[in-house]
Amino acid sequence: MPTIILNEKLAYPGAGGYGRYAGVSSPPRSLYVVTSLAENGVGTLKDAISQPDRDIVLNNLSGYIPFLTGTFPTANNLRIHGQTGNVAITANMSAPPNSSLLSFQGGDVVVRYLRWRRQGEEPGQAAGGGAVLGGDRYIFDHCNWTTMSDDFCGAANQGGSAVTFSNCLFYISLEKLASARGTGKGLLIYNDISSASIIESVFAHVGSRQPSGKAGTIDCNLEFVNNLIHNWGSFATHLGDPNGTVGVNGTLYTNLIGNDYVTGNNTYPSRYAVNPDDFSSTYLHDNIGRYRPDNSYPESAIASELGTVSTANTTGTGLVGTPFSMTPASLNAMDVSEVKPYVLPRAGANKYRDSHDIDIIAQVQAGSGPESGYNHDKESAWSYPLPALAAPDPINDTTGSGIDDAFEAQHGLTGDGTGTTVNWDFGTYQVVNNAGYTDREMYWSYLANDFADLPDAGGITYFPIDDQERHRRRGLTL
């Protein structure tokens, strides 16, 4: 029986990238149970995130939460354990123009298994999902962002550092006009964010910015590692700032490692997947896509010349031959040949797939696109029926510990969930908790499949990487 040994306290076991320590040194968090799908009031998600130092659970909750009032203040030291329910936040035509669904300002935030979904916008508007607008240490893991016309999400504006997007799923960018195929926006890292990691995530039918990064007035470290980019549009990855000023702008330092760029019907002809620009310095390794179908080609073959999108980078301008010192995500990257079969079934809120997720995953698996039955025109997106969200596995927590009663009985747990049990027997594997995770943190990790994968609801078989290698990559000892 394999034994997993946890020796370092992270945001959760296996957390990666710059955001992996989010909330680790913060004050203890109290438990908040979201009981309502309403936008406002006691028991709502908005109420939960309005005060600091909270572990937020969605026990037995499934469905859509309307966020119609635009950007609002959020507190720090928050953890949204979306794996305890099956919830999406959404906005319709009642939402303010040019707004974001949900953004965080406080720092030390962990969000897992949550969905952001817009239903389009009026002509002339642009609206996104939001993510980070200031503060340090964030991690968004197994989240979905779908049908946005402005950036799906990003880290921007008020600065901040140590942000991770991992195991996320981004799909269907909306356009201002039906004819403007391939121009919708994806993920943006800019304006004084000092460090960000995007790892093991999937972008499907997104027009541009997968990601786009620029440094602002300070230097920025960006990791883009082991991602799958399917049917990109006007461009895929843009790095740097063509409008920067010498002596004012910092430099964007990027490790671009093991990413699979797959062209499709929306991909503009002749364009390169990776577009370096001014104020950038990029390390390329083991990326495949247009003009670089395999590793027999030079690493630079996937990139355009500095400041262009369709001219080969034959001079190596803006490129470096040695990786930048960043996080273990850059050091433990899998081979690009493993990315699609390994990352695709794990991406997004895969604990409970909805019908749109299943369609998109199947399209990426088959290498097809544009997506059948979906229209990129944002004025037509109101006709999209919101997919039903399945009821989650029931959680019965009569003790208020944050842990299901049956799980407590099975593992002999007592108290309020803040104990730190060391030895855990999960049947097919054991876990030794030398890192000091609380009992309820271990329970939430169990629900999130941090220690063992759950068969994917989309019917795709997981890539057979042996347990030892898989856990090594995630920083766990087996």
Side-chain angles (χ1 to χ4, degrees):
M1 180 183 299
T3 299
I4 300 166
I5 303 173
L6 308 178
N7 288 321
E8 184 183 21
K9 185 76 177 286
L10 302 173
Y12 52 84
Y18 279 109
R20 65 193 184 279
Y21 295 114
V24 171
S25 299
S26 298
R29 289 172 295 276
S30 61
L31 188 67
Y32 189 108
V33 182
V34 176
T35 57
S36 171
L37 293 174
E39 180 174 10
N40 299 298
V42 176
T44 64
L45 181 58
K46 274 193 176 180
D47 187 56
I49 61 181
S50 67
Q51 298 297 319
D53 308 327
R54 283 177 168 173
D55 274 309
I56 300 165
V57 296
L58 311 171
N59 294 359
N60 306 314
L61 203 62
S62 64
Y64 290 89
I65 300 176
F67 273 39
L68 306 179
T69 56
T71 304
F72 59 95
T74 58
N76 65 303
N77 191 25
L78 301 172
R79 294 192 177 184
I80 301 176
H81 303 280
Q83 67 270 31
T84 59
N86 188 18
V87 164
I89 57 174
T90 187
N92 57 29
M93 292 179 71
S94 299
N98 305 316
S99 63
S100 295
L101 267 174
L102 172 59
S103 296
F104 296 89
Q105 298 92 19
D108 284 307
V109 170
V110 179
V111 182
R112 307 191 74 188
Y113 290 88
L114 189 67
R115 304 166 185 269
W116 280 252
R117 176 175 273 122
R118 275 194 176 271
Q119 293 176 264
E121 296 91 28
E122 294 284 10
Q125 295 181 14
V132 174
L133 292 176
D136 299 328
R137 295 172 298 278
Y138 291 83
I139 186 163
F140 299 86
D141 178 67
H142 283 286
C143 292
N144 286 26
W145 281 270
T146 63
T147 52
M148 311 282 176
S149 67
D150 206 350
D151 295 288
F152 280 55
C153 62
N157 293 337
Q158 283 84 25
S161 67
V163 181
T164 291
F165 298 90
S166 60
N167 305 296
C168 290
L169 177 60
F170 309 85
Y171 65 84
I172 308 179
S173 59
L174 304 180
E175 321 296 356
K176 293 182 178 180
L177 297 171
S179 60
R181 306 287 292 195
T183 60
K185 301 170 185 177
L187 176 56
L188 181 61
I189 307 294
Y190 80 121
N191 281 20
D192 297 345
I193 296 293
S194 64
S195 52
S197 304
I198 306 162
I199 52 182
E200 296 183 12
S201 295
V202 173
F203 299 79
H205 311 309
V206 178
S208 63
R209 295 182 177 177
Q210 302 165 80
S212 178
K214 56 183 177 181
T217 59
I218 61 174
D219 292 342
C220 175
N221 288 343
L222 173 63
E223 294 177 307
F224 193 62
V225 178
N226 288 151
N227 300 284
L228 174 59
I229 305 93
H230 175 80
N231 189 27
W232 51 277
S234 55
F235 64 85
T237 298
H238 179 264
L239 305 168
D241 187 356
N243 300 312
T245 302
V246 175
V248 175
N249 283 74
T251 298
L252 177 72
Y253 298 98
T254 304
N255 284 341
L256 205 72
I257 301 172
N259 299 290
D260 188 355
Y261 294 89
V262 181
T263 57
N265 291 347
N266 286 352
T267 305
Y268 281 34
S270 305
R271 294 199 174 184
Y272 287 77
V274 180
N275 309 132
D277 217 319
D278 295 331
F279 301 95
S280 70
S281 185
T282 304
Y283 171 73
L284 299 171
H285 176 70
D286 195 33
N287 303 285
I288 60 173
R290 176 183 279 168
Y291 303 125
R292 192 177 191 272
D294 57 54
N295 280 323
S296 67
Y297 290 75
E299 298 285 359
S300 61
I302 202 166
S304 61
E305 184 60 66
L306 203 70
T308 72
V309 293
S310 302
T311 303
N313 193 320
T314 58
T315 64
T317 307
L319 309 179
V320 298
T322 303
F324 300 105
S325 179
M326 294 193 184
T327 81
S330 288
L331 301 176
N332 297 332
M334 69 184 81
D335 186 89
V336 70
S337 65
E338 300 173 347
V339 167
K340 181 177 179 178
Y342 183 86
V343 172
L344 180 58
R346 293 171 173 84
N350 69 332
K351 189 174 175 69
Y352 306 106
R353 294 282 196 208
D354 64 41
S355 60
H356 287 191
D357 295 349
I358 292 171
D359 286 348
I360 295 298
I361 293 292
Q363 289 166 20
V364 178
Q365 177 74 13
S368 64
E371 63 288 352
S372 176
Y374 298 92
N375 189 333
H376 276 272
D377 173 15
K378 71 178 183 178
E379 285 82 44
S380 301
W382 299 111
S383 63
Y384 293 3
L386 288 174
L389 300 181
D393 295 335
I395 294 174
N396 184 32
D397 176 21
T398 61
T399 65
S401 64
I403 304 172
D404 180 71
D405 292 354
F407 186 91
E408 287 182 317
Q410 179 183 357
H411 295 279
L413 305 179
T414 60
D416 62 359
T418 60
T420 54
T421 301
V422 174
N423 295 307
W424 294 79
D425 186 348
F426 291 106
T428 57
Y429 59 95
Q430 295 178 334
V431 178
V432 178
N433 174 25
N434 292 332
Y437 291 101
T438 65
D439 292 346
R440 62 192 185 196
E441 286 174 332
M442 293 293 290
Y443 169 65
W444 292 325
S445 278
Y446 169 79
L447 292 183
N449 307 310
D450 288 337
F451 309 121
D453 284 325
L454 191 69
D456 182 71
I460 300 173
T461 303
Y462 281 111
F463 190 59
I465 293 177
D466 66 84
D467 283 343
Q468 185 167 345
E469 173 65 8
R470 181 168 59 84
H471 284 90
R472 180 192 69 79
R473 289 172 179 169
R474 298 171 63 200
L476 306 181
T477 302
L478 185 65

